[in-house]
């Protein structure tokens, strides 16, 4: 192995060890670099620009030809509009003018001009011009890639097993990747509860985030070792390091063997209290992992992932097929289908929606659905239609209060009425639940509990909104504390409100999969834990090892503690005592 060993420290967000070569991923929407140039460089930049336009034109023509051969000339004609962009004199002249005047590198100048063009067109209320804005956007990315000498490789085109290194990996990237060939993720930014980390855990892919400038330091083809459990990336690992990790892997395999043996056992505490243990999924392809893990059904199906990376919104029929596949694959167990949670850090590729300054506090999830009842109703109809075949429940995300819940319920009733009128059957008794993930919902949980059949606490957002700490911002990750007394109080209030009205309550945020916190969650009285499929066996083992009375004692002790760190330390002591082998 060549080169000096270098160790980088980040945050481990999906456990496991991976060894392999680096695949450097540059997302298409990455900002091009900005560099001042002097007078003598202008001519060179113009030549670069012209070559990039010629290369782009050739690529579009080639793509058009391939598509015409594969599916016909009519479909290939959409590229005519792309060709018009590369030949657009107004656009090209403006780039040349600005280049002479502002004197920055041409990719920066070009991106500025093209983005302004696209923005102006997309703001005009005319579907044709809006489409032209998308064309400009597509072609712009292609031209910039050519200027930067980058290939158009997406994670979906990886053809060898490799470790993906990037500044950031978005949920859209993860939704397209080839899971067999991605051995691990390493990123500059990110946090435990970003949707990318969640996805890595679901896929059982080791991941380390928060590695600062790792995407600048590593090069394609370099050898690295990734330790997702301890948050470490090692460049050019020595033979000694590889041997040490080999030993760790042998130990981990033994633990895994024991955990695999638990597949058909139940998640019941040592003194006989059963807590339902289900799994979270993002895509229909995740279901086999859920079954293999020995979960009791799907406690959270994040349907929005099916909407990412699509040029159009999926139709009711497409959604029906996807939800049906999940419901059938998990039968006789149940699936809780959560309605669209777009926004925050999950965006549509070709969104017509304006960018927001605070997307996590903006038109996200149920707010978007109430603004677009057409999209919402199509999804509800698809879910309802699947409910005759499978064991299906429906759940609304981000409910902040009663009136929002009632508006959403009204649309659900509207969808039911339509289906009845059309003679299409559905389960008339389909259960409706809501996520409790906004502090205001936890505070009025009693009123909400009267209107639904179950609650599922989304701790990822509940913590973000309660402590005012952006869940994807690694700079303030130290403030993101699940054991903050305020969080425990809100969970306790939610459980009390649910049980007071005779409904069950689960936890489906990442906190449910933290085995250090299992004793606390059991003591808080939750009825269900829904975790990433890969974590199911660990949580099951933790539950089986614990005793309810001891958990209650722990909760009582934490009431006297006001610091999140002290509470966490007590939880760690209990976990160490009962299942030390699972913790390291
Ligand atoms: C949550 O907020 O805890 C949750 C489960 O939903 P998501 O992570 O998809 O926002
Ligand atoms: Mg959430």
């Amino acid at each position: 192995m060549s080169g000096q060993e270098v160790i980088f420290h980040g945050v481990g967000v999906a456990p496991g060890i991976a060894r392999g070569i680096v695949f450097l991923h540059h997302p298409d929407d990455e900002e091009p670099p900005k560099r001042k140039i002097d007078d003598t460089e202008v001519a060179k930049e113009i030549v670069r620009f012209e070559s990039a336009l010629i290369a782009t034109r050739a690529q579009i023509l080639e793509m058009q030809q391939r598509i015409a051969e594969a599916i016909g000339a009519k479909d290939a004609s959409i590229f005519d509009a792309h060709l018009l962009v590369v030949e657009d004199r107004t656009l090209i002249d403006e780039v040349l003018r600005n280049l002479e005047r502002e004197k920055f590198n041409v990719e920066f100048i070009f991106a500025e001009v093209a983005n302004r063009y696209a923005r102006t067109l997309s703001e005009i209320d005319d579907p044709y011009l809006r489409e032209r804005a998308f064309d400009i956007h597509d072609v712009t990315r292609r031209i910039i890639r050519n200027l930067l000498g980058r290939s158009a490789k997406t994670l979906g085109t990886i053809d060898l097993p490799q470790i993906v290194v990037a500044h950031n990996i978005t949920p859209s990237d993860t939704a397209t990747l080839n899971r067999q060939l991605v051995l691990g993720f390493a990123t500059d930014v990110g946090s435990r509860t970003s949707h990318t980390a969640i996805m890595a855990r679901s896929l059982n892919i080791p991941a380390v985030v928060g590695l600062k400038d790792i995407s600048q330091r590593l090069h394609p083809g370099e050898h690295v070792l990734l330790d997702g459990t301890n948050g470490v990336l090692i460049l050019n690992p020595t033979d000694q390091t590889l041997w040490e990790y080999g030993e760790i892997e042998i130990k981990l395999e033994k633990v895994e063997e024991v955990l695999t043996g638990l597949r058909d056992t139940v998640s019941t505490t040592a003194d006989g209290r059963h807590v339902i243990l289900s799994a979270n999924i993002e895509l229909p392809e995740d279901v086999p992992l859920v079954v293999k893990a020995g979960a009791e059904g799907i406690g959270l199906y994040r349907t929005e992932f099916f909407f990412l990376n699509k040029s159009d919104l999926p139709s009711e029929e497409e959604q029906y097929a996807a939800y049906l596949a999940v419901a059938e694959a998990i039968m006789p167990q149940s699936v809780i289908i959560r309605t669209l949670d777009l926004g925050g850090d999950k965006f549509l590729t070709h969104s017509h929606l304006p960018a927001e300054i605070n997307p996590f506090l903006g038109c996200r999830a149920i707010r978007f659905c109430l603004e677009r009842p057409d999209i919402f109703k199509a999804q509800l109809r698809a879910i309802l239609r699947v409910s005759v075949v499978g064991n299906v429940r429906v759940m609304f995300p981000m409910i902040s209060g009663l009136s929002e819940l009632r508006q959403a319920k009204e649309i659900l009733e509207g969808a039911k009425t339509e289906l009845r009128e059309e003679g299409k059957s559905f389960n008339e008794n389909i259960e409706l639940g809501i996520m409790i993930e906004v502090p205001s919902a936890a505070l009025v949980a009693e009123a909400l509990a009267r209107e639904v059949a179950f609650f599922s606490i989304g701790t990822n957002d509940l913590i973000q909104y309660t402590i005012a700490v952006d869940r994807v911002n690694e700079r303030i990750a130290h403030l993101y504390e699940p054991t903050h007394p305020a969080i425990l109080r809100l969970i306790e209030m939610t459980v009390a409100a649910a049980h007071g009205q005779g409904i069950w309550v689960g936890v489906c945020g990442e906190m449910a999969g933290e085995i250090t916190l299992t004793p606390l969650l059991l003591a808080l009285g939750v009825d269900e834990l829904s975790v990433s499929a890969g974590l199911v066996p660990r949580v099951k083992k933790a539950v089986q090892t614990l005793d309810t009375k001891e958990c209650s004692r722990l909760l009582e002790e934490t009431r006297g503690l006001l610091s999140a760190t002290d509470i966490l330390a007590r939880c760690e002591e209990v976990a160490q005592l009962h299942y030390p082998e699972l913790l390291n």
Side-chain angles (χ1 to χ4, degrees):
M1 202 139 294
S2 62
Q4 179 98 23
E5 177 175 282
V6 191
I7 301 178
F8 300 92
H9 294 274
V11 183
V13 294
I17 295 163
R19 272 180 240 86
I21 55 171
V22 168
F23 175 93
L24 259 194
H25 172 62
H26 295 283
D28 272 347
D29 54 2
E30 206 172 82
E31 298 268 317
K34 179 179 181 183
R35 183 175 61 84
K36 196 82 188 150
I37 57 168
D38 56 40
D39 292 342
T40 58
E41 287 178 282
V42 173
K44 206 174 86 206
E45 291 300 281
I46 295 176
V47 173
R48 287 183 58 225
F49 185 46
E50 283 169 352
S51 320
L53 290 177
I54 293 168
T56 307
R57 191 169 185 280
Q59 284 163 359
I60 297 172
L61 283 171
E62 195 218 290
M63 212 156 48
Q64 190 169 37
Q65 169 103 27
R66 252 189 300 131
I67 295 206
E69 280 162 17
I71 52 176
K74 188 169 160 288
D75 290 294
S77 68
I78 53 164
F79 289 105
D80 289 343
H82 287 205
L83 285 170
L84 287 180
V85 178
V86 209
E87 290 155 8
D88 187 332
R89 234 17 276 179
T90 332
L91 184 78
I92 295 170
D93 286 345
E94 190 171 341
V95 172
L96 297 180
R97 262 198 316 278
N98 287 6
L99 189 65
E100 305 259 0
R101 200 176 47 225
E102 294 178 20
K103 303 221 170 50
F104 284 107
N105 54 318
V106 71
E107 41 277 80
F108 174 75
I109 296 279
F110 172 67
E112 235 188 11
V113 174
N115 288 340
R116 197 169 51 241
Y117 250 65
R119 217 173 21 249
T120 312
L121 289 178
S122 68
E123 280 163 5
I124 301 172
D125 192 16
D126 176 310
Y128 171 77
L129 291 179
R130 275 204 303 259
E131 281 309 313
R132 292 271 299 137
F134 292 142
D135 294 335
I136 294 186
H137 198 62
D138 266 11
V139 180
T140 307
R141 289 192 312 195
R142 189 172 284 281
I143 295 172
I144 290 176
R145 274 200 307 261
N146 284 325
L147 279 165
L148 294 171
R150 284 175 188 164
S151 67
K153 271 191 170 178
T154 64
L155 292 186
T157 63
I158 290 188
D159 48 5
L160 281 173
Q162 291 177 80
I163 292 181
V164 174
V165 178
H167 176 66
N168 191 15
I169 298 173
T170 63
S172 320
D173 293 325
T174 37
T176 58
L177 60 83
N178 182 333
R179 347 178 131 206
Q180 267 72 45
L181 298 177
V182 174
L183 302 175
F185 288 135
T187 60
D188 297 347
V189 297
S191 69
R192 268 198 80 68
T193 49
S194 63
H195 282 98
T196 304
I198 290 172
M199 191 91 170
R201 280 194 289 277
S202 286
L203 300 172
N204 273 337
I205 295 176
V208 181
V209 303
L211 286 156
K212 301 188 179 73
D213 55 355
I214 199 73
S215 66
Q216 313 272 334
R217 287 169 172 254
L218 299 187
H219 302 98
E222 283 181 326
H223 286 265
V224 293
L225 185 148
L226 192 71
D227 173 356
T229 312
N230 297 301
V232 173
L233 180 142
I234 305 174
L235 169 66
N236 299 323
T238 60
D239 288 344
Q240 173 68 20
T241 302
L242 290 172
W243 180 81
E244 283 168 16
Y245 268 94
E247 294 292 294
I248 296 174
E249 275 176 301
I250 293 171
K251 279 199 201 124
L252 287 179
E253 269 161 32
K254 286 204 184 115
V255 174
E256 284 309 318
E257 243 169 67
V258 173
L259 293 177
T260 310
L262 299 181
R263 186 179 178 271
D264 297 319
T265 65
V266 285
S267 43
T268 301
T269 59
D271 59 325
R273 179 181 156 210
H274 179 63
V275 60
I276 298 168
L277 180 55
S278 36
N280 299 345
I281 66 163
E282 281 77 48
L283 292 168
E285 296 94 279
D286 298 338
V287 182
L289 287 175
V290 174
V291 175
K292 193 167 148 230
E296 279 175 84
I298 297 167
L300 168 66
Y301 172 13
R302 293 180 162 100
T303 54
E304 57 279 358
F305 278 80
F306 188 62
F307 283 62
L308 306 178
N309 300 307
K310 296 217 164 34
S311 47
D312 286 316
L313 289 169
S315 64
E316 179 185 324
E317 288 314 313
E318 282 173 279
Q319 293 185 62
Y320 174 74
Y323 306 154
L324 184 66
V326 171
E328 282 182 336
I330 200 70
M331 272 208 319
Q333 291 172 335
S334 68
V335 48
I336 298 179
I337 305 185
R338 179 178 75 181
T339 57
L340 270 182
D341 183 8
L342 286 169
D345 61 350
K346 291 168 289 194
F347 302 102
L348 294 174
T349 318
H350 280 192
S351 172
H352 293 255
L353 303 171
E356 295 178 303
I357 293 176
N358 280 318
F360 273 117
L361 299 181
C363 189
R364 178 188 169 191
I366 199 71
R367 299 169 182 182
F368 169 75
C369 288
L370 293 178
E371 192 184 87
R372 291 296 305 267
D374 52 330
I375 296 175
F376 191 31
K377 207 192 270 175
Q379 174 169 47
L380 292 171
R381 285 173 54 103
I383 298 172
L384 285 167
R385 285 168 56 204
V386 172
S387 72
V388 262
V389 186
N391 191 349
V392 170
R393 296 183 174 110
V394 62
M395 174 159 77
F396 298 148
M398 281 276 291
I399 292 290
S400 64
L402 200 55
S403 65
E404 215 169 25
L405 170 60
R406 288 189 175 155
Q407 283 175 59
K409 279 174 78 171
E410 215 170 282
I411 298 176
L412 177 63
E413 287 312 310
K416 288 182 182 174
T417 309
E418 277 181 15
L419 291 176
R420 276 186 212 109
E421 282 167 9
E422 293 165 25
K424 293 186 174 141
S425 46
F426 60 91
N427 174 8
E428 291 276 355
N429 299 316
I430 186 170
E431 283 182 16
L432 166 69
I434 55 169
M435 294 200 59
I436 300 290
E437 51 184 346
V438 182
S440 56
L443 293 168
V444 297
E446 209 181 310
L448 297 170
R450 290 199 196 100
E451 307 243 346
V452 292
F454 64 92
F455 283 164
S456 188
I457 305 175
T459 49
N460 303 339
D461 281 310
L462 188 64
I463 297 169
Q464 144 162 286
Y465 296 131
T466 305
I467 314 182
V469 52
D470 182 344
R471 64 190 267 188
V472 297
N473 185 340
E474 74 284 358
R475 282 173 65 192
I476 44 166
H478 58 285
L479 296 175
Y480 192 95
E481 294 177 308
T483 50
H484 191 300
I487 301 300
L488 304 184
R489 184 81 195 96
L490 287 172
I491 296 178
E492 198 165 26
M493 286 173 65
T494 305
V495 172
H499 290 174
Q501 293 303 321
I503 68 169
W504 65 267
V505 49
V507 177
C508 64
E510 297 311 292
M511 189 174 173
E514 300 273 353
I515 47 174
T516 313
L517 305 181
T518 313
L520 207 49
L521 289 175
L522 289 180
L524 285 165
V526 300
D527 305 294
E528 180 227 29
L529 296 170
S530 192
V531 307
S532 292
L535 296 177
V536 166
R538 270 156 217 279
V539 177
K540 192 182 275 185
K541 175 84 180 141
V543 170
Q544 289 176 346
T545 323
L546 288 163
D547 173 273
T548 323
K549 280 205 202 71
E550 194 180 355
C551 296
S552 303
R553 249 194 325 270
L554 169 70
L555 179 65
E556 287 316 312
E557 272 176 51
T558 62
R559 291 193 198 285
L561 304 173
L562 290 178
S563 120
T565 321
D566 291 348
I567 297 176
L568 179 61
R570 271 303 291 133
C571 294
E572 274 164 356
E573 276 170 26
V574 173
Q576 273 293 349
L577 191 70
H578 288 275
Y579 35 86
E581 75 287 2
L582 299 182
L583 296 172
N584 302 309

